Amino acid sequence: MAVADEDLSVTFAALADPTRRAILERLALGDATVSELAEPFALTQQAISKHLKVLERAGLISRSRAAQTRPCQLETGRLDSAADWISRHRQLWEERYDRLDEHLAALRRRPEGEPKERGT
């Protein structure tokens, strides 16, 4: 597996969890400490820290040191890569669906009893 594919797999795995997605949504509003990130959840700080480690390993967040706290920041690079992958594949899927729609429309227009063309 290529490094970019591996990064993408780690990104999508991190995004698969709703708690981690909610954490990223919160960080999109600005930096936050672990305590601030834990507030809306019925989870321990230790559980939130585990989620943060997954997000950090995926390159979706980073942590800095500010006095006694370690605020978390959203890192958008990997999200941009995932969005680019989705966008490229969405275009491919849409083209395939368009061809399927055209084929189905052609089948509906064909008079009954008329043999279908070879190769279709």
Side-chain angles (χ1 to χ4, degrees):
M1 185 182 292
V3 173
D5 287 342
E6 198 171 305
D7 289 347
L8 199 56
S9 293
V10 170
T11 298
F12 283 127
L15 293 172
D17 185 273
T19 300
R20 291 192 287 266
R21 290 192 306 270
I23 289 170
L24 293 175
E25 286 180 36
R26 166 54 186 86
L27 289 175
L29 302 174
D31 298 356
T33 64
V34 175
S35 299
E36 292 168 335
L37 293 171
E39 282 176 16
F41 301 103
L43 298 172
T44 64
Q45 276 193 345
Q46 183 180 9
I48 292 296
S49 290
K50 287 182 180 181
H51 283 295
L52 293 175
K53 286 179 185 173
V54 171
L55 292 169
E56 196 169 17
R57 278 194 303 268
L60 296 169
I61 68 166
S62 61
R63 297 189 209 193
S64 62
R65 189 166 295 283
Q68 298 298 324
T69 64
R70 292 193 64 206
C72 300
Q73 299 94 22
L74 180 64
E75 298 293 336
T76 59
R78 293 278 176 88
L79 289 173
D80 292 341
S81 295
D84 290 346
W85 184 90
I86 291 169
S87 179
R88 282 192 314 274
H89 285 80
R90 176 181 290 156
Q91 183 178 1
L92 176 67
W93 300 325
E94 286 174 356
E95 290 169 3
R96 288 179 179 172
Y97 283 126
D98 289 346
R99 286 196 307 267
L100 178 60
D101 284 343
E102 290 169 11
H103 178 70
L104 293 173
L107 290 176
R108 284 190 291 271
R109 289 191 303 266
R110 191 179 74 216
E112 271 192 49
E114 183 178 308
K116 68 177 188 177
E117 297 176 27
R118 288 193 81 90
T120 59

PDB file of all heavy atoms in Angstrom, residues 50-76:
ATOM      1  N   LYS A  50      -7.732   9.117  24.603  1.00  0.00           N
ATOM      2  CA  LYS A  50      -7.507   8.028  23.647  1.00  0.00           C
ATOM      3  C   LYS A  50      -8.006   8.430  22.256  1.00  0.00           C
ATOM      4  O   LYS A  50      -7.341   8.168  21.252  1.00  0.00           O
ATOM      5  CB  LYS A  50      -8.193   6.746  24.107  1.00  0.00           C
ATOM      6  CG  LYS A  50      -7.496   6.091  25.276  1.00  0.00           C
ATOM      7  CD  LYS A  50      -8.186   4.799  25.671  1.00  0.00           C
ATOM      8  CE  LYS A  50      -7.479   4.153  26.852  1.00  0.00           C
ATOM      9  NZ  LYS A  50      -8.096   2.891  27.244  1.00  0.00           N
ATOM     10  N   HIS A  51      -9.171   9.068  22.205  1.00  0.00           N
ATOM     11  CA  HIS A  51      -9.682   9.552  20.922  1.00  0.00           C
ATOM     12  C   HIS A  51      -8.722  10.586  20.317  1.00  0.00           C
ATOM     13  O   HIS A  51      -8.454  10.573  19.116  1.00  0.00           O
ATOM     14  CB  HIS A  51     -11.068  10.176  21.090  1.00  0.00           C
ATOM     15  CG  HIS A  51     -12.172   9.182  21.241  1.00  0.00           C
ATOM     16  ND1 HIS A  51     -12.538   8.308  20.243  1.00  0.00           N
ATOM     17  CD2 HIS A  51     -13.014   8.930  22.281  1.00  0.00           C
ATOM     18  CE1 HIS A  51     -13.555   7.562  20.649  1.00  0.00           C
ATOM     19  NE2 HIS A  51     -13.847   7.910  21.892  1.00  0.00           N
ATOM     20  N   LEU A  52      -8.198  11.457  21.166  1.00  0.00           N
ATOM     21  CA  LEU A  52      -7.271  12.485  20.686  1.00  0.00           C
ATOM     22  C   LEU A  52      -5.992  11.862  20.134  1.00  0.00           C
ATOM     23  O   LEU A  52      -5.447  12.336  19.127  1.00  0.00           O
ATOM     24  CB  LEU A  52      -6.951  13.484  21.796  1.00  0.00           C
ATOM     25  CG  LEU A  52      -8.125  14.353  22.249  1.00  0.00           C
ATOM     26  CD1 LEU A  52      -7.720  15.221  23.434  1.00  0.00           C
ATOM     27  CD2 LEU A  52      -8.664  15.192  21.108  1.00  0.00           C
ATOM     28  N   LYS A  53      -5.524  10.795  20.749  1.00  0.00           N
ATOM     29  CA  LYS A  53      -4.324  10.107  20.250  1.00  0.00           C
ATOM     30  C   LYS A  53      -4.569   9.532  18.861  1.00  0.00           C
ATOM     31  O   LYS A  53      -3.698   9.599  17.991  1.00  0.00           O
ATOM     32  CB  LYS A  53      -3.881   9.016  21.216  1.00  0.00           C
ATOM     33  CG  LYS A  53      -3.228   9.563  22.462  1.00  0.00           C
ATOM     34  CD  LYS A  53      -2.830   8.464  23.419  1.00  0.00           C
ATOM     35  CE  LYS A  53      -2.287   9.100  24.703  1.00  0.00           C
ATOM     36  NZ  LYS A  53      -2.035   8.126  25.748  1.00  0.00           N
ATOM     37  N   VAL A  54      -5.766   8.971  18.650  1.00  0.00           N
ATOM     38  CA  VAL A  54      -6.111   8.439  17.324  1.00  0.00           C
ATOM     39  C   VAL A  54      -6.114   9.575  16.301  1.00  0.00           C
ATOM     40  O   VAL A  54      -5.548   9.451  15.210  1.00  0.00           O
ATOM     41  CB  VAL A  54      -7.482   7.724  17.346  1.00  0.00           C
ATOM     42  CG1 VAL A  54      -7.953   7.376  15.941  1.00  0.00           C
ATOM     43  CG2 VAL A  54      -7.415   6.474  18.225  1.00  0.00           C
ATOM     44  N   LEU A  55      -6.724  10.691  16.666  1.00  0.00           N
ATOM     45  CA  LEU A  55      -6.783  11.842  15.753  1.00  0.00           C
ATOM     46  C   LEU A  55      -5.390  12.415  15.488  1.00  0.00           C
ATOM     47  O   LEU A  55      -5.073  12.809  14.364  1.00  0.00           O
ATOM     48  CB  LEU A  55      -7.705  12.925  16.332  1.00  0.00           C
ATOM     49  CG  LEU A  55      -9.188  12.566  16.399  1.00  0.00           C
ATOM     50  CD1 LEU A  55      -9.960  13.597  17.219  1.00  0.00           C
ATOM     51  CD2 LEU A  55      -9.765  12.428  14.994  1.00  0.00           C
ATOM     52  N   GLU A  56      -4.567  12.419  16.512  1.00  0.00           N
ATOM     53  CA  GLU A  56      -3.205  12.937  16.366  1.00  0.00           C
ATOM     54  C   GLU A  56      -2.373  12.018  15.466  1.00  0.00           C
ATOM     55  O   GLU A  56      -1.663  12.491  14.576  1.00  0.00           O
ATOM     56  CB  GLU A  56      -2.557  13.085  17.744  1.00  0.00           C
ATOM     57  CG  GLU A  56      -1.322  13.956  17.744  1.00  0.00           C
ATOM     58  CD  GLU A  56      -0.871  14.299  19.156  1.00  0.00           C
ATOM     59  OE1 GLU A  56      -1.276  13.656  20.137  1.00  0.00           O
ATOM     60  OE2 GLU A  56      -0.055  15.242  19.257  1.00  0.00           O
ATOM     61  N   ARG A  57      -2.476  10.696  15.672  1.00  0.00           N
ATOM     62  CA  ARG A  57      -1.745   9.747  14.813  1.00  0.00           C
ATOM     63  C   ARG A  57      -2.198   9.853  13.367  1.00  0.00           C
ATOM     64  O   ARG A  57      -1.414   9.651  12.450  1.00  0.00           O
ATOM     65  CB  ARG A  57      -1.930   8.316  15.310  1.00  0.00           C
ATOM     66  CG  ARG A  57      -1.021   7.936  16.450  1.00  0.00           C
ATOM     67  CD  ARG A  57      -0.986   6.434  16.691  1.00  0.00           C
ATOM     68  NE  ARG A  57      -2.301   5.871  16.959  1.00  0.00           N
ATOM     69  CZ  ARG A  57      -2.839   5.716  18.164  1.00  0.00           C
ATOM     70  NH1 ARG A  57      -2.170   6.076  19.236  1.00  0.00           N
ATOM     71  NH2 ARG A  57      -4.035   5.200  18.301  1.00  0.00           N
ATOM     72  N   ALA A  58      -3.464  10.185  13.164  1.00  0.00           N
ATOM     73  CA  ALA A  58      -4.004  10.331  11.812  1.00  0.00           C
ATOM     74  C   ALA A  58      -3.611  11.672  11.194  1.00  0.00           C
ATOM     75  O   ALA A  58      -3.889  11.915  10.023  1.00  0.00           O
ATOM     76  CB  ALA A  58      -5.524  10.187  11.829  1.00  0.00           C
ATOM     77  N   GLY A  59      -2.987  12.544  11.976  1.00  0.00           N
ATOM     78  CA  GLY A  59      -2.576  13.852  11.463  1.00  0.00           C
ATOM     79  C   GLY A  59      -3.727  14.840  11.360  1.00  0.00           C
ATOM     80  O   GLY A  59      -3.615  15.861  10.694  1.00  0.00           O
ATOM     81  N   LEU A  60      -4.844  14.553  12.048  1.00  0.00           N
ATOM     82  CA  LEU A  60      -6.014  15.422  11.979  1.00  0.00           C
ATOM     83  C   LEU A  60      -5.989  16.524  13.033  1.00  0.00           C
ATOM     84  O   LEU A  60      -6.671  17.536  12.890  1.00  0.00           O
ATOM     85  CB  LEU A  60      -7.292  14.593  12.125  1.00  0.00           C
ATOM     86  CG  LEU A  60      -7.526  13.595  10.984  1.00  0.00           C
ATOM     87  CD1 LEU A  60      -8.653  12.642  11.327  1.00  0.00           C
ATOM     88  CD2 LEU A  60      -7.804  14.327   9.689  1.00  0.00           C
ATOM     89  N   ILE A  61      -5.211  16.308  14.083  1.00  0.00           N
ATOM     90  CA  ILE A  61      -5.036  17.342  15.108  1.00  0.00           C
ATOM     91  C   ILE A  61      -3.571  17.386  15.509  1.00  0.00           C
ATOM     92  O   ILE A  61      -2.808  16.459  15.243  1.00  0.00           O
ATOM     93  CB  ILE A  61      -5.901  17.106  16.371  1.00  0.00           C
ATOM     94  CG1 ILE A  61      -5.419  15.877  17.145  1.00  0.00           C
ATOM     95  CG2 ILE A  61      -7.382  17.023  16.030  1.00  0.00           C
ATOM     96  CD1 ILE A  61      -5.990  15.777  18.563  1.00  0.00           C
ATOM     97  N   SER A  62      -3.205  18.472  16.150  1.00  0.00           N
ATOM     98  CA  SER A  62      -1.889  18.570  16.779  1.00  0.00           C
ATOM     99  C   SER A  62      -2.095  19.194  18.152  1.00  0.00           C
ATOM    100  O   SER A  62      -3.143  19.767  18.433  1.00  0.00           O
ATOM    101  CB  SER A  62      -0.935  19.416  15.925  1.00  0.00           C
ATOM    102  OG  SER A  62      -1.438  20.736  15.797  1.00  0.00           O
ATOM    103  N   ARG A  63      -1.098  19.024  18.988  1.00  0.00           N
ATOM    104  CA  ARG A  63      -1.169  19.602  20.334  1.00  0.00           C
ATOM    105  C   ARG A  63       0.056  20.477  20.539  1.00  0.00           C
ATOM    106  O   ARG A  63       1.161  20.105  20.178  1.00  0.00           O
ATOM    107  CB  ARG A  63      -1.185  18.507  21.397  1.00  0.00           C
ATOM    108  CG  ARG A  63      -2.397  17.611  21.319  1.00  0.00           C
ATOM    109  CD  ARG A  63      -2.436  16.718  22.515  1.00  0.00           C
ATOM    110  NE  ARG A  63      -3.096  15.465  22.216  1.00  0.00           N
ATOM    111  CZ  ARG A  63      -3.476  14.606  23.143  1.00  0.00           C
ATOM    112  NH1 ARG A  63      -3.210  14.841  24.403  1.00  0.00           N
ATOM    113  NH2 ARG A  63      -4.083  13.508  22.811  1.00  0.00           N
ATOM    114  N   SER A  64      -0.174  21.620  21.154  1.00  0.00           N
ATOM    115  CA  SER A  64       0.933  22.513  21.476  1.00  0.00           C
ATOM    116  C   SER A  64       0.990  22.669  22.986  1.00  0.00           C
ATOM    117  O   SER A  64       0.121  22.192  23.700  1.00  0.00           O
ATOM    118  CB  SER A  64       0.726  23.874  20.802  1.00  0.00           C
ATOM    119  OG  SER A  64      -0.458  24.473  21.280  1.00  0.00           O
ATOM    120  N   ARG A  65       2.029  23.299  23.444  1.00  0.00           N
ATOM    121  CA  ARG A  65       2.151  23.517  24.885  1.00  0.00           C
ATOM    122  C   ARG A  65       2.017  25.017  25.136  1.00  0.00           C
ATOM    123  O   ARG A  65       2.763  25.818  24.604  1.00  0.00           O
ATOM    124  CB  ARG A  65       3.498  23.019  25.389  1.00  0.00           C
ATOM    125  CG  ARG A  65       3.567  23.024  26.906  1.00  0.00           C
ATOM    126  CD  ARG A  65       4.735  22.246  27.448  1.00  0.00           C
ATOM    127  NE  ARG A  65       4.726  20.820  27.188  1.00  0.00           N
ATOM    128  CZ  ARG A  65       3.980  19.917  27.831  1.00  0.00           C
ATOM    129  NH1 ARG A  65       3.138  20.316  28.750  1.00  0.00           N
ATOM    130  NH2 ARG A  65       4.075  18.644  27.560  1.00  0.00           N
ATOM    131  N   ALA A  66       1.013  25.358  25.942  1.00  0.00           N
ATOM    132  CA  ALA A  66       0.790  26.751  26.326  1.00  0.00           C
ATOM    133  C   ALA A  66       0.679  26.773  27.849  1.00  0.00           C
ATOM    134  O   ALA A  66      -0.342  26.361  28.404  1.00  0.00           O
ATOM    135  CB  ALA A  66      -0.486  27.287  25.684  1.00  0.00           C
ATOM    136  N   ALA A  67       1.738  27.208  28.486  1.00  0.00           N
ATOM    137  CA  ALA A  67       1.820  27.219  29.956  1.00  0.00           C
ATOM    138  C   ALA A  67       1.599  25.802  30.479  1.00  0.00           C
ATOM    139  O   ALA A  67       2.351  24.912  30.122  1.00  0.00           O
ATOM    140  CB  ALA A  67       0.825  28.212  30.543  1.00  0.00           C
ATOM    141  N   GLN A  68       0.572  25.567  31.271  1.00  0.00           N
ATOM    142  CA  GLN A  68       0.325  24.246  31.851  1.00  0.00           C
ATOM    143  C   GLN A  68      -0.613  23.391  31.005  1.00  0.00           C
ATOM    144  O   GLN A  68      -0.849  22.238  31.327  1.00  0.00           O
ATOM    145  CB  GLN A  68      -0.268  24.399  33.262  1.00  0.00           C
ATOM    146  CG  GLN A  68       0.646  25.094  34.244  1.00  0.00           C
ATOM    147  CD  GLN A  68       1.941  24.316  34.474  1.00  0.00           C
ATOM    148  OE1 GLN A  68       1.943  23.086  34.486  1.00  0.00           O
ATOM    149  NE2 GLN A  68       3.044  25.026  34.639  1.00  0.00           N
ATOM    150  N   THR A  69      -1.171  23.955  29.971  1.00  0.00           N
ATOM    151  CA  THR A  69      -2.141  23.216  29.147  1.00  0.00           C
ATOM    152  C   THR A  69      -1.520  22.782  27.824  1.00  0.00           C
ATOM    153  O   THR A  69      -0.486  23.295  27.413  1.00  0.00           O
ATOM    154  CB  THR A  69      -3.386  24.075  28.857  1.00  0.00           C
ATOM    155  OG1 THR A  69      -2.984  25.204  28.077  1.00  0.00           O
ATOM    156  CG2 THR A  69      -4.063  24.521  30.135  1.00  0.00           C
ATOM    157  N   ARG A  70      -2.177  21.826  27.188  1.00  0.00           N
ATOM    158  CA  ARG A  70      -1.755  21.374  25.866  1.00  0.00           C
ATOM    159  C   ARG A  70      -2.962  21.471  24.929  1.00  0.00           C
ATOM    160  O   ARG A  70      -3.643  20.492  24.688  1.00  0.00           O
ATOM    161  CB  ARG A  70      -1.251  19.929  25.922  1.00  0.00           C
ATOM    162  CG  ARG A  70       0.043  19.813  26.706  1.00  0.00           C
ATOM    163  CD  ARG A  70       0.698  18.490  26.511  1.00  0.00           C
ATOM    164  NE  ARG A  70       1.093  18.325  25.115  1.00  0.00           N
ATOM    165  CZ  ARG A  70       1.224  17.154  24.511  1.00  0.00           C
ATOM    166  NH1 ARG A  70       0.991  16.039  25.157  1.00  0.00           N
ATOM    167  NH2 ARG A  70       1.587  17.083  23.256  1.00  0.00           N
ATOM    168  N   PRO A  71      -3.246  22.688  24.447  1.00  0.00           N
ATOM    169  CA  PRO A  71      -4.417  22.839  23.583  1.00  0.00           C
ATOM    170  C   PRO A  71      -4.267  22.036  22.279  1.00  0.00           C
ATOM    171  O   PRO A  71      -3.159  21.841  21.777  1.00  0.00           O
ATOM    172  CB  PRO A  71      -4.486  24.335  23.295  1.00  0.00           C
ATOM    173  CG  PRO A  71      -3.228  24.923  23.800  1.00  0.00           C
ATOM    174  CD  PRO A  71      -2.529  23.923  24.643  1.00  0.00           C
ATOM    175  N   CYS A  72      -5.400  21.566  21.791  1.00  0.00           N
ATOM    176  CA  CYS A  72      -5.445  20.814  20.540  1.00  0.00           C
ATOM    177  C   CYS A  72      -5.871  21.752  19.417  1.00  0.00           C
ATOM    178  O   CYS A  72      -6.711  22.621  19.616  1.00  0.00           O
ATOM    179  CB  CYS A  72      -6.462  19.677  20.647  1.00  0.00           C
ATOM    180  SG  CYS A  72      -6.094  18.498  21.952  1.00  0.00           S
ATOM    181  N   GLN A  73      -5.276  21.542  18.253  1.00  0.00           N
ATOM    182  CA  GLN A  73      -5.633  22.325  17.080  1.00  0.00           C
ATOM    183  C   GLN A  73      -6.018  21.377  15.951  1.00  0.00           C
ATOM    184  O   GLN A  73      -5.436  20.304  15.819  1.00  0.00           O
ATOM    185  CB  GLN A  73      -4.450  23.167  16.557  1.00  0.00           C
ATOM    186  CG  GLN A  73      -3.887  24.180  17.515  1.00  0.00           C
ATOM    187  CD  GLN A  73      -2.700  23.621  18.299  1.00  0.00           C
ATOM    188  OE1 GLN A  73      -2.062  22.679  17.885  1.00  0.00           O
ATOM    189  NE2 GLN A  73      -2.448  24.207  19.450  1.00  0.00           N
ATOM    190  N   LEU A  74      -6.962  21.824  15.149  1.00  0.00           N
ATOM    191  CA  LEU A  74      -7.363  21.073  13.972  1.00  0.00           C
ATOM    192  C   LEU A  74      -6.293  21.235  12.903  1.00  0.00           C
ATOM    193  O   LEU A  74      -5.792  22.334  12.680  1.00  0.00           O
ATOM    194  CB  LEU A  74      -8.707  21.616  13.452  1.00  0.00           C
ATOM    195  CG  LEU A  74      -9.289  20.953  12.218  1.00  0.00           C
ATOM    196  CD1 LEU A  74      -9.641  19.499  12.509  1.00  0.00           C
ATOM    197  CD2 LEU A  74     -10.537  21.709  11.768  1.00  0.00           C
ATOM    198  N   GLU A  75      -5.919  20.145  12.273  1.00  0.00           N
ATOM    199  CA  GLU A  75      -4.984  20.161  11.143  1.00  0.00           C
ATOM    200  C   GLU A  75      -5.774  19.750   9.914  1.00  0.00           C
ATOM    201  O   GLU A  75      -6.269  18.633   9.836  1.00  0.00           O
ATOM    202  CB  GLU A  75      -3.819  19.198  11.388  1.00  0.00           C
ATOM    203  CG  GLU A  75      -2.958  19.529  12.584  1.00  0.00           C
ATOM    204  CD  GLU A  75      -2.186  20.825  12.417  1.00  0.00           C
ATOM    205  OE1 GLU A  75      -1.943  21.246  11.264  1.00  0.00           O
ATOM    206  OE2 GLU A  75      -1.839  21.429  13.444  1.00  0.00           O
ATOM    207  N   THR A  76      -5.919  20.636   8.955  1.00  0.00           N
ATOM    208  CA  THR A  76      -6.834  20.391   7.837  1.00  0.00           C
ATOM    209  C   THR A  76      -6.210  19.659   6.654  1.00  0.00           C
ATOM    210  O   THR A  76      -6.935  19.224   5.761  1.00  0.00           O
ATOM    211  CB  THR A  76      -7.442  21.709   7.339  1.00  0.00           C
ATOM    212  OG1 THR A  76      -6.381  22.578   6.925  1.00  0.00           O
ATOM    213  CG2 THR A  76      -8.266  22.377   8.430  1.00  0.00           C
TER     214      THR A  76
END
